């Protein structure tokens, strides 16, 4: 049996040493090393998306991989791709490190400097475990979920651009279409999702921050089941409690939510913290909300450049949503795309706060009228992001960009120009 191996090694010399030894292993098929944690997760997600059978049996993680620490990366791989055997390569052979590696989900530890026999034994053992798990899943008719649910983060270029309203509405759109959806308030100091949806709940994301292993029961105790069907994980009522949610705990919480819900929408606010940075890095889609004015667009550019410097997310992998859009404005979405280097969403949300004012003041954003142009635009955005379940009948008819949601008249549409040609920008 051929064993497929994917090394994750950032150090050039270590990568060369690992590759040389792997090429000598019998029946081994080593892939080219990935150099950082983001590339590893992206590679595994891509392989899982193409075919679950294409995933490697073994992943080797070097202790100096970055930017995510090795043990945190092992935990994330184990949660998102449970049938992959992960082996840690490290110079630290203390019992404490070994215990931590096993708790994170590693199937073995290889010590530095590398030896052929030890590497061969650990790889073989991890590969056998992986094959056994996959055989068991197939026999038991269970679904190998691969990367799990879709994670969408929503961030603001600055405060007050409408990120929370966008997060709530796209979550409602996904839920109404038949998805199971979790809406997370990761704006830890000034989060307002609870206020927008008229929710008072004593538990928050802080209650999960110190738990090493988040079981489904523990998660359900911290989540508020809203009348709309959304599962809400709220920000703490006391802003100073935000410090208790570290980037490590945020990764664990997001991974737990991803494994339980089909769609996870996370409101990250406009301030970057360790927890929100971890969520943005893990997200399948990072949405950045801005308004078409000079100050907000400068803020969007500043945010994107900061994400790149911190190796959180590349500009081209970020989707910018233009909120409060007016056709007569001088700053058009195409210009914003050029300035920020991001991909601008085809959907632009019109400036019509009068539609929102009553439900926002009442804390009933989920009761926004279906005729609202703002709601229709945001639900169109949800369809554009791919988090809306399209009815089977629509799929058979080949309708990819038009979907009707049960009990609602929000829709996805495309604007036509004066010549009758379809344009990419969706309007309401």
């Amino acid at each position: 049996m051929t064993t497929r191996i994917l090394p994750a090694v950032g150090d050039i010399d270590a990568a060369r040493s690992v590759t040389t030894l792997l090429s000598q292993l019998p029946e081994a098929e080593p892939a080219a090393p990935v150099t950082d944690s983001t590339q590893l997760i992206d590679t595994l997600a891509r392989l899982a998306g193409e075919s679950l059978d294409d995933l490697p049996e073994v992943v080797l993680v070097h202790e100096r991989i970055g930017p995510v620490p090795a043990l945190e990366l092992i935990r994330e791989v184990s949660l998102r791709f449970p049938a992959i055997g992960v082996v840690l390569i490290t110079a630290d052979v203390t019992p404490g490190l070994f215990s931590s590696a096993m708790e994170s989900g590693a199937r073995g530890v290889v010590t530095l400097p590398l030896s052929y026999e030890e590497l061969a034994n650990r790889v073989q053992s991890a590969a056998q475990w992986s094959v056994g798990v996959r055989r068991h899943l197939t026999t038991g008719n269970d679904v190998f979920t691969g990367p799990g649910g879709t994670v969408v983060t929503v961030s603001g270029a600055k405060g007050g651009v409408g990120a929370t309203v966008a997060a709530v509405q796209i979550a409602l759109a996904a839920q109404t279409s038949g998805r199971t959806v979790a809406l997370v308030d990761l704006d830890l100091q000034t989060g307002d999702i609870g206020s927008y949806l008229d929710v008072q709940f004593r538990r928050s994301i802080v209650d999960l921050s110190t738990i090493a292993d988040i079981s489904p029961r523990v998660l359900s105790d911290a989540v508020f089941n809203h009348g709309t069907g959304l599962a809400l994980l709220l920000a703490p009522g006391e802003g100073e409690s935000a410090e208790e949610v570290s980037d490590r705990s945020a990764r664990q919480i997001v991974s737990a939510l991803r494994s339980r819900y089909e769609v996870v929408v996370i409101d990250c606010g406009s301030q970057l913290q360790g927890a929100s940075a971890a969520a943005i890095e893990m997200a399948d889609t990072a949405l950045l909300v801005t308004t078409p004015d000079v100050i907000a667009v400068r803020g969007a550019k500043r945010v994107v450049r900061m994400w790149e410097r911190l190796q959180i997310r590349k500009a081209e992998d970020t989707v910018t949503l233009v909120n409060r859009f007016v056709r007569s404005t001088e700053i058009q979405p195409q210009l914003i795309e050029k300035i920020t280097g991001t991909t601008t969403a085809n959907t632009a949300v019109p400036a019509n706060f009068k539609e929102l004012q009553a439900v926002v003041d009442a804390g009933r954003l989920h009761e926004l009228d279906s005729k609202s142009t703002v709601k229709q635009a945001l639900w169109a955005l949800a369809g554009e992001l791919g988090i809306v379940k399209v009815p089977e009948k629509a799929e058979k008819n080949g309708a990819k960009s038009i979907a009707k949601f049960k009990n609602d008249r929000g829709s996805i549409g495309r604007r036509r120009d004066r010549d009758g040609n379809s344009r990419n920008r969706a309007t309401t």
Side-chain angles (χ1 to χ4, degrees), residues 385-397:
L385 298 179
I387 60 175
V388 168
K389 182 184 293 184
V390 180
E392 294 182 2
K393 185 176 180 180
E395 290 180 348
K396 292 180 181 179
N397 293 334

Side-chain angles (χ1 to χ4, degrees), residues 20-72:
T20 301
L21 285 178
L22 290 178
S23 64
Q24 299 173 13
L25 298 181
E27 298 183 344
E29 186 180 310
V34 295
T35 58
D36 57 53
S37 58
T38 302
Q39 188 179 359
L40 173 62
I41 295 299
D42 289 347
T43 300
L44 294 177
R46 176 178 54 79
L47 292 174
E50 295 174 355
S51 173
L52 297 177
D53 294 332
D54 291 341
L55 285 171
E57 285 76 23
V58 180
V59 168
L60 300 177
V61 176
H62 192 271
E63 63 178 354
R64 291 198 297 271
I65 195 69
V68 178
L71 293 181
E72 294 302 314

Side-chain angles (χ1 to χ4, degrees), residues 145-410:
T145 57
T150 301
V151 176
V152 178
T153 58
V154 183
S155 306
K158 67 180 189 65
V161 295
T164 300
V165 172
V168 171
Q169 286 298 325
I170 65 174
L172 286 170
Q175 193 281 328
T176 305
S177 73
R179 304 273 190 192
T180 58
V181 182
L183 176 59
V184 184
D185 197 341
L186 209 54
D187 187 1
L188 298 174
Q189 292 185 332
T190 58
D192 285 322
I193 285 180
S195 299
Y196 275 110
L197 297 178
D198 192 24
V199 172
Q200 292 183 348
F201 191 55
R202 62 186 180 86
R203 295 192 180 275
S204 71
I205 193 171
V206 173
D207 294 292
L208 299 176
S209 61
T210 58
I211 299 176
D213 186 12
I214 302 176
S215 65
R217 181 172 181 178
V218 170
L219 184 62
S220 63
D221 287 342
V223 166
F224 179 84
N225 295 313
H226 194 261
T228 58
L230 293 177
L232 304 180
L233 186 56
L234 303 175
E238 301 79 21
E240 62 272 18
S241 300
E243 297 179 358
E244 300 180 32
V245 185
S246 65
D247 55 343
R248 176 178 179 178
S249 57
R251 292 181 187 281
Q252 187 174 358
I253 292 168
V254 172
S255 296
L257 290 167
R258 188 199 292 268
S259 66
R260 186 174 177 84
Y261 298 94
E262 293 178 273
V263 177
V264 181
V265 179
I266 305 175
D267 179 8
C268 293
S270 58
Q271 299 295 322
L272 186 67
Q273 299 173 328
S276 57
I280 294 168
E281 183 181 2
M282 294 177 66
D284 298 287
T285 300
L287 188 67
L288 180 62
V289 183
T290 186
T291 49
D293 59 83
V294 174
I295 302 301
V297 174
R298 284 179 178 173
K301 181 179 179 180
R302 183 169 58 247
V303 168
V304 170
R305 297 296 177 265
M306 179 171 61
W307 287 359
E308 286 189 322
R309 289 195 303 272
L310 297 176
Q311 298 183 11
I312 296 172
R313 201 164 196 94
K314 296 179 180 178
E316 57 267 27
D317 294 332
T318 302
V319 179
T320 299
L321 170 67
V322 182
N323 190 24
R324 302 172 193 156
F325 176 71
V326 179
R327 293 184 182 180
S328 59
T329 183
E330 294 183 4
I331 302 179
Q332 293 290 314
Q334 294 84 352
L335 177 60
I336 296 175
E337 181 173 281
K338 183 177 180 180
I339 292 173
T340 62
T342 62
T343 300
T344 304
N346 290 330
T347 304
V349 183
N352 199 339
F353 182 72
K354 290 183 179 180
E355 297 177 350
L356 296 171
Q357 187 169 5
V359 292
V360 168
D361 290 344
R364 311 287 292 179
L365 187 57
H366 52 288
E367 296 180 358
L368 182 61
D369 195 311
S370 300
K371 297 179 182 179
S372 164
T373 56
V374 173
K375 178 175 181 177
Q376 291 179 9
L378 288 171
W379 284 42
L381 172 68
E384 183 181 337
L385 298 179
I387 60 175
V388 168
K389 182 184 293 184
V390 180
E392 294 182 2
K393 185 176 180 180
E395 290 180 348
K396 292 180 181 179
N397 293 334
K400 296 182 180 179
S401 61
I402 300 177
K404 292 184 179 180
F405 305 95
K406 59 184 181 181
N407 302 324
D408 204 288
R409 286 181 288 177

